Amino acid sequence: MSGSIMASEARSTPAVLRSEATRWQHEARALQHHLAGRSTTVLLGRGSSGNVCTFATYLFALHSGRQPIEFRPWLATQELPRADWSDAVVHAFSYSGQSTDIAASAQWLRARGALVVAVTAAERDDAHLVSAAHHVLRLGCGPERAVPATKSVVAQLFVAAALAGLDITVAAGQTAECMMRIDADAIPKRLAAFLAGARTVTWLARGPSIGGALDAALKMQESVGIPASGYSTAEYLHGPIAAASPQDRVVLFTGTDEPMESNQAVTTALLARGVPFISLGGEHTPEAQLALPLPDAPWARAAVLAYLAQLTCADLAEQYGVNPDEHPSLRKVTQTL
């Protein structure tokens, strides 16, 4: 069991879910009358928060029937026609609240009529993103002491679900229990044993769980230093699989209630190429090589995948002799010019 700060922070996630989910639900519902009448949803974030935005695109689309916009901060640096964004609600995610390009983009959109909701752990009202927002929903998950984000990622996933109109309270309790069981059963250590020695690692999922796969890849890059990527299971066959070899590893998350055919197509192709892979699924998923306890709500399973990856990476880092809590090229707050 890894003794890193990263692992300790990850293991505090169930307590955060149990203590904060009801408040997140209440505050998200209280915001709804402020957001009514605006038909465009804009999602804004970088890094892990950007992966939360990708997750949120699925939930907002399922709830409204309209695809949200994942805003690229580069746009706010360009000379563009002054468009009217007064039909838009911007959900801006930044754990620290100090990400300069996210705050600048939020301010750019606000100046063009958008209503900005900040999702952050920042307590100070002068934090960059808080200053740019009309409304603030605070995560309340406490400080993140390691560079790789852990508990704040899961907190943002659940806040995003609440903002999308979902009831998160039951799912939060179930997810917390699943996380505790995953840790107690040493499932991260078993997954780490499969991934050890890989040249690269690819994480695959479908639907909202792609956000968990993307963040799993990010955690592997920043905590262990292994080249990693995350893809939709459906997208993987459209080119990326051609780079896979027997020196690589693929993690296929099948616990999403998505069509089995896409998973079968990927596993058949991986077998043909001799690429080692492992299927993660529910305890009643026949094809799962590593069975996981999962919450009833399919959207909440992205959080389980993210949590499993966090502890797996912490364990791998220990095996590799890497300190996952710090990185010579990374800082907790990234200033983007």
Side-chain angles (χ1 to χ4, degrees), residues 142-163:
E144 288 261 30
R145 296 174 295 154
V147 168
T150 54
K151 60 189 177 184
S152 64
V153 178
V154 175
Q156 287 182 88
L157 291 171
F158 273 82
V159 169
L163 290 169

Side-chain angles (χ1 to χ4, degrees), residues 5 8-10 12 16 95-96 121-123 139-146 148-152 332:
I5 295 173
S8 175
E9 296 282 61
S12 71
V16 170
Y95 163 77
S96 69
E123 294 296 334
L139 297 173
C141 59
E144 288 261 30
R145 296 174 295 154
T150 54
K151 60 189 177 184
S152 64
K332 194 63 192 172

Side-chain angles (χ1 to χ4, degrees), residues 74-99:
W74 173 83
L75 288 173
T77 69
Q78 306 303 300
E79 292 293 333
L80 298 175
R82 191 176 175 85
D84 180 9
W85 288 79
S86 59
D87 68 334
V89 175
V90 179
H91 297 288
F93 294 81
S94 170
Y95 163 77
S96 69
Q98 300 288 16
S99 180

Side-chain angles (χ1 to χ4, degrees), residues 33-46:
H33 75 278
H34 295 292
L35 314 183
R38 292 176 179 254
S39 57
T40 299
T41 299
V42 179
L43 299 165
L44 182 57
R46 287 283 202 197

Side-chain angles (χ1 to χ4, degrees), residues 113-140:
L115 189 150
V116 178
V117 177
V119 179
T120 181
E123 294 296 334
R124 293 172 59 100
D125 289 338
D126 61 354
H128 298 323
L129 182 57
V130 174
S131 298
H134 295 91
H135 304 282
V136 181
L137 202 162
R138 288 185 164 87
L139 297 173

Side-chain angles (χ1 to χ4, degrees), residues 6-66:
M6 177 186 177
S8 175
E9 296 282 61
R11 291 190 174 101
S12 71
T13 303
V16 170
L17 289 176
R18 288 171 174 146
S19 66
E20 300 299 324
T22 299
R23 177 180 62 82
W24 296 334
Q25 185 83 76
H26 175 77
E27 293 187 17
R29 284 177 176 163
L31 280 172
Q32 294 309 309
H33 75 278
H34 295 292
L35 314 183
R38 292 176 179 254
S39 57
T40 299
T41 299
V42 179
L43 299 165
L44 182 57
R46 287 283 202 197
S48 286
S49 296
N51 296 331
V52 170
C53 290
T54 299
F55 163 83
T57 60
Y58 288 84
L59 302 192
F60 277 96
L62 288 169
H63 188 261
S64 69
R66 293 187 54 154

